[in-house]
Amino acid sequence: MPYPLLELGGSGPLVHLAPANGFPPRSYLPALEPLLVRYRVVSLPPRAMWPDSGPPPAEPGSWVTLADDLLEGMRRHGLPPVIAIGHSFGAVATLLAAAREPARFRAVALLDPTILPPAIMDQFRELRLRGEMANRSLVAGAWKRRARFTGEPEAFDYWRDKPLFAGWSDDALWCYVRSILRPEAGGGF
């Protein structure tokens, strides 16, 4: 497996960024600009963002798999101990990796970690076992989410009106648009 390492810029002590689900590492560049003055920032993106990652798996992975990938990527690239920034599910993967191999981490910053109380996790586990997870509003919404655009301006206009991006500057949203879109064979993105 490739375990790609993305260089996001800067020089100095090493910072690793573990992004949130659906947010390419380069979409964080506007927020990372102050760090790039003093730090080298890299990212080992999750498998779904690997080039030629293939079709989605038949079964969902786990937090443990994400932590395993992070630690294996760090080993394969010979990364020294990092200052780790994890966002959302990237925060959970970072937390699990740091708990397993603390010597690989100088510091850990968790932004909006998706840590839920055990009772809620038990409910999700039960829903998954009964095959009812797809009925959850977040999951159902994800399946309906628009995934194709004729070009960058159309994608920008579409996301500009979404509540998630309401507080984002135009520059930050353009960075997201350019980092997430991929050309499709036959045209479009």
Side-chain angles (χ1 to χ4, degrees), residues 53 86 104 110 159:
S53 61
R104 293 195 169 278
L110 307 178
W159 284 318

Side-chain angles (χ1 to χ4, degrees), residues 124 127-128 131-145:
F124 283 150
L127 287 169
R128 191 172 291 126
E132 298 175 12
M133 200 60 187
N135 297 335
R136 301 292 300 175
S137 62
L138 280 175
V139 174
W143 283 109
K144 292 185 219 172
R145 188 173 300 136

Side-chain angles (χ1 to χ4, degrees), residues 2 5 7 20 33 35 41 45 52 56 68 78 82 87 104 133 135 142 172:
L5 180 71
E7 290 284 345
E33 280 181 22
L35 290 178
V41 182
D52 303 321
D68 289 345
V82 300
H87 180 212
R104 293 195 169 278
M133 200 60 187
N135 297 335

Side-chain angles (χ1 to χ4, degrees), residues 73-87:
M74 293 173 84
R75 279 189 284 279
R76 288 196 185 194
H77 290 283
L79 298 184
V82 300
I83 299 166
I85 300 171
H87 180 212

Side-chain angles (χ1 to χ4, degrees), residues 30-98:
L32 293 171
E33 280 181 22
L35 290 178
L36 298 176
V37 175
R38 294 187 46 211
Y39 298 92
R40 174 183 167 216
V41 182
V42 300
S43 182
L44 291 156
R47 286 183 190 213
M49 294 182 184
W50 291 1
D52 303 321
S53 61
E59 295 291 321
S62 71
W63 297 116
V64 173
T65 303
L66 293 168
D68 289 345
D69 283 349
L70 176 56
L71 291 169
E72 183 61 22
M74 293 173 84
R75 279 189 284 279
R76 288 196 185 194
H77 290 283
L79 298 184
V82 300
I83 299 166
I85 300 171
H87 180 212
S88 190
F89 93 142
V92 175
T94 298
L95 178 63
L96 292 173

Side-chain angles (χ1 to χ4, degrees), residues 30 159-173:
W159 284 318
R160 176 75 289 164
D161 293 333
K162 300 298 177 197
L164 174 65
F165 300 107
W168 289 37
S169 70
D170 283 353
D171 288 342
L173 183 56

